[in-house]
Amino acid sequence: MLRKMMLAVLVVTFAGGAALAQEACDSKAVGKDGKPLAGAAKTSFMKKCMADTCATKAVSQDGKPLSGAAKTSFMKKCEKGA
């Protein structure tokens, strides 16, 4: 029972974290001239920013970095914001 609750809390935390990361990346998406990025430049920036943000959160319950299929699955879910 406790394990299921911890898993639920973990999932909710990452879902909320992805939404906040999206907003943080969106606010950082400005060019060198201070104007907001648009089009392909913004898409590329957002993809890289989300990947960087999610990579820092890809750790297991015992604090070790995820690897292999677990990391791939986590990164896909995190980047989608699910």
Side-chain angles (χ1 to χ4, degrees):
M1 179 69 175
L2 182 60
R3 182 171 270 193
K4 288 181 182 181
M5 284 180 33
M6 290 299 293
L7 181 62
V9 168
L10 187 65
V11 168
V12 169
T13 301
F14 285 129
L20 291 174
Q22 178 77 26
E23 291 175 15
C25 289
D26 200 30
S27 66
K28 293 179 187 177
V30 292
K32 292 180 182 177
D33 58 356
K35 294 180 181 177
L37 294 176
K42 184 175 182 179
T43 303
S44 175
F45 177 84
M46 292 294 287
K47 184 175 181 179
K48 183 179 183 321
C49 183
M50 288 297 292
D52 291 345
T53 302
C54 290
T56 61
K57 296 178 184 176
V59 293
S60 65
Q61 289 179 347
D62 59 353
K64 294 181 182 178
L66 294 175
S67 62
K71 183 174 183 178
T72 302
S73 175
F74 174 82
M75 293 295 287
K76 285 182 182 179
K77 289 178 184 177
C78 181
E79 289 173 359
K80 277 198 267 182

